[in-house]
Amino acid sequence: MPGSEQPVIRASSTDDFIKGLWRENPVFVQVLGMCPVLAVTNSGINALAMGLATTFVLVLSNALVSMLRHFIPRQVRIATFILIIATFVTVVDYLIQAISLDLHRALGAFISLIVVNCLILGRAEAFASKHSVGRSILDGLGMGLGFTLALLCLGGVREILGSGSLFGVALFPAGFQPWIVMILPSGGFFTLGLWLLLFNHLKRRRLAQGLVREVAS
Amino acid sequence: MPADRSQSPPASWPLYRALVGVGVVCGLLIVSVFVLTGPVIARNEAAALQQAVFRVLPGAVAKASLALGEDGHFRPAAADDAAHQMVHAGYDANGELVGVAIEAQGMGYQDVIRLLYGYAPQAQAIVGMQVLASKETPGLGDKIEKDPAFNANFRALAVPLSADGLAPRQPIEAVKSGTKTRPSQIDGITGATISSKAVAAILRQSSTRWVPVVYRLQAELAQQGGPDAGQ
């Protein structure tokens, strides 16, 4: 590879990783995978475990899809991607059972439902099937960590207000009356709505600042 | 991706090759992980069960899993025995029978509630209960697991038998919080009425079946097999 191309590739690889964290965040920007986002974020630890499990599946499925991209005919690509994703979900299901049965019980059916998380199939189709293994892994890692971050944002707020604790550690004195609605499904919608509001506000402000800078220059 | 995909219908071979090839790789991966994690998961499940048995039978330090055979007698449980045919006898440090832990399940508010309760034949009472699995509403129905006042119901919940020893004399029932008058009643939870009544119904149904059997065979249970703390 010519030496002059390296900086371009490095910048692009960094971008593959970074974009999922903020600019193309799967939850706050792409609004993907809403089922686990709303269902399992009633506590910080559930959100973290679900985020990491999804990241694991996303990175490995992106890697395998990218590795096999020249071998998979277009006509059967979706079936093959789902087979690959389902395999890694089964793997992660067994691993979580081996690590902690309590955690497996808390996440319930949502581990199996990672198979139908549109974020994973979306990245396999939109990115991994068209790019190299290295870039696909970085994309999966960035998107997975962005997804985890978003789940933590929701899980943290909901656990603090709904249970008065964060990661199981009590934050308020005994007199605190938890807002039970926050750990019910409706609390998930409220919290997601507020986070989306914040993200859109920040995005608009940034755009406006960019325009001002452009006009000034 | 093949370059000529838009020109003619695809040949079958590449499709079969891709699907079967990926299927074989995925199958091998799943089997490998299953073989590697299987023993660890089995150990975790055994440890969780043992911990739950010791929790619902205060004083027990060893347990023996037993199955009720077709001859109406208990025998050491085998790996293929169904859960609804099994009980877990708990023994104290002197090897004396403390009681029997029994798994039971029934419909709750959201989904099936699975629980384990300890029955002490000498006291003719349920002496502990632990919810093993439930999807009751967080903050409301899940108080059946977390509410200390509700759990206090199961420290000595009387299940006295009729004179012929064939059925409980006073079936277990849930009553409104604070209105318990008999030792076989459960003080319900305000805001989780359906879940607390479901727990009472599960215990009533299971105890009607098991309590007469365990009471009749308690001498056999005390001797049967001997404790297998590691099982």
Side-chain angles (χ1 to χ4, degrees):
Chain A
M1 198 173 285
S4 60
E5 277 182 30
Q6 278 180 358
V8 178
I9 288 170
R10 206 174 294 134
S12 172
S13 301
T14 314
D15 194 52
D16 286 336
F17 176 67
I18 297 288
K19 70 178 190 291
L21 296 179
W22 182 263
R23 202 179 65 237
E24 291 180 24
N25 187 288
V27 175
F28 295 139
V29 179
Q30 300 182 63
V31 198
L32 289 175
M34 285 300 104
C35 175
V37 167
L38 294 167
V40 299
T41 54
N42 53 14
S43 77
I45 192 72
N46 285 2
L48 182 66
M50 189 52 160
L52 292 179
T54 309
T55 307
F56 179 85
V57 174
L58 192 52
V59 170
L60 292 179
S61 63
N62 262 14
L64 194 58
V65 165
S66 173
M67 226 180 277
L68 299 174
R69 68 187 187 281
H70 300 299
F71 173 77
I72 300 169
R74 189 176 162 72
Q75 293 80 3
V76 292
R77 70 191 192 287
I78 300 292
T80 318
F81 295 166
I82 289 178
L83 185 60
I84 291 171
I85 294 166
T87 301
F88 288 117
V89 169
T90 311
V91 167
V92 89
D93 191 52
Y94 283 132
L95 289 178
I96 291 181
Q97 281 187 68
I99 293 165
S100 163
L101 283 178
D102 285 340
L103 186 59
H104 189 263
R105 206 182 108 191
L107 295 175
F110 291 99
I111 288 290
S112 315
L113 287 175
I114 295 176
V115 177
V116 287
N117 188 329
C118 45
L119 167 66
I120 299 177
L121 188 60
R123 295 324 290 173
E125 167 72 359
F127 196 93
S129 63
K130 299 181 179 101
H131 295 92
S132 66
V133 177
R135 288 188 65 185
S136 299
I137 289 177
L138 283 176
D139 176 77
L141 201 59
M143 287 289 165
L145 291 179
F147 187 70
T148 309
L149 191 73
L151 290 192
L152 276 176
C153 286
L154 265 87
V157 170
R158 290 179 70 189
E159 190 182 347
I160 291 170
L161 297 177
S163 308
S165 60
L166 186 60
F167 292 107
V169 180
L171 297 179
F172 299 106
F176 175 73
Q177 188 65 39
W179 306 5
I180 286 170
V181 68
M182 294 307 283
I183 49 175
L184 297 177
S186 43
F189 282 101
F190 292 147
T191 320
L192 179 66
L194 290 173
W195 275 111
L196 287 176
L197 201 67
L198 178 70
F199 252 71
N200 279 329
H201 170 70
L202 292 176
K203 210 163 78 179
R204 277 165 184 249
R205 205 174 65 174
R206 216 167 151 190
L207 266 175
Q209 282 171 350
L211 276 175
V212 168
R213 246 181 265 128
E214 214 171 279
V215 169
S217 63
Chain B
M1 307 268 166
D4 61 342
R5 62 180 181 263
S6 57
Q7 290 167 4
S8 59
S12 310
W13 167 240
L15 307 184
Y16 283 122
R17 188 187 57 182
L19 281 173
V20 174
V22 172
V24 168
V25 171
C26 291
L28 282 174
L29 190 61
I30 290 176
V31 169
S32 311
V33 173
F34 177 76
V35 168
L36 284 174
T37 55
V40 183
I41 294 171
R43 263 205 309 276
N44 285 354
E45 279 173 350
L49 176 65
Q50 179 160 304
Q51 214 178 352
V53 169
F54 292 168
R55 194 173 290 173
V56 299
L57 290 172
V61 294
K63 77 161 182 67
S65 296
L66 305 166
L68 188 64
E70 284 175 6
D71 59 353
H73 291 278
F74 283 110
R75 57 171 169 75
D80 57 345
D81 278 322
H84 67 272
Q85 286 295 96
M86 279 170 59
V87 298
H88 310 280
Y91 303 88
D92 66 12
N94 300 322
E96 301 288 329
L97 180 73
V98 175
V100 171
I102 301 163
E103 204 178 308
Q105 64 176 36
M107 197 58 201
Y109 180 65
Q110 305 255 40
D111 202 348
V112 170
I113 299 173
R114 207 157 62 81
L115 54 84
L116 189 77
Y117 66 95
Y119 170 72
Q122 287 180 336
Q124 291 201 41
I126 286 174
V127 290
M129 187 280 289
Q130 187 183 345
V131 175
L132 297 176
S134 95
K135 293 192 175 75
E136 299 304 280
T137 317
L140 298 169
D142 73 346
K143 285 185 183 170
I144 57 168
E145 295 179 60
K146 296 169 183 169
D147 188 32
F150 182 69
N151 283 316
N153 281 302
F154 308 101
R155 280 188 206 127
L157 181 67
V159 195
L161 282 170
S162 57
D164 57 6
L166 294 176
R169 199 169 63 231
Q170 291 172 340
I172 296 164
E173 60 173 354
V175 293
K176 263 190 170 182
S177 177
T179 61
K180 175 175 173 164
T181 51
R182 282 190 282 115
S184 62
Q185 288 178 330
I186 297 172
D187 249 337
I189 307 169
T190 310
T193 314
I194 295 176
S195 304
S196 46
K197 280 191 170 171
V199 170
I202 294 167
L203 289 176
R204 183 168 59 241
Q205 201 176 13
S206 175
S207 62
T208 305
R209 178 194 169 199
W210 278 109
V211 163
V213 178
V214 171
Y215 189 77
R216 179 167 51 87
L217 299 175
Q218 58 180 303
E220 187 178 300
L221 283 164
Q223 295 164 359
Q224 184 72 36
D228 56 357
Q231 192 174 317

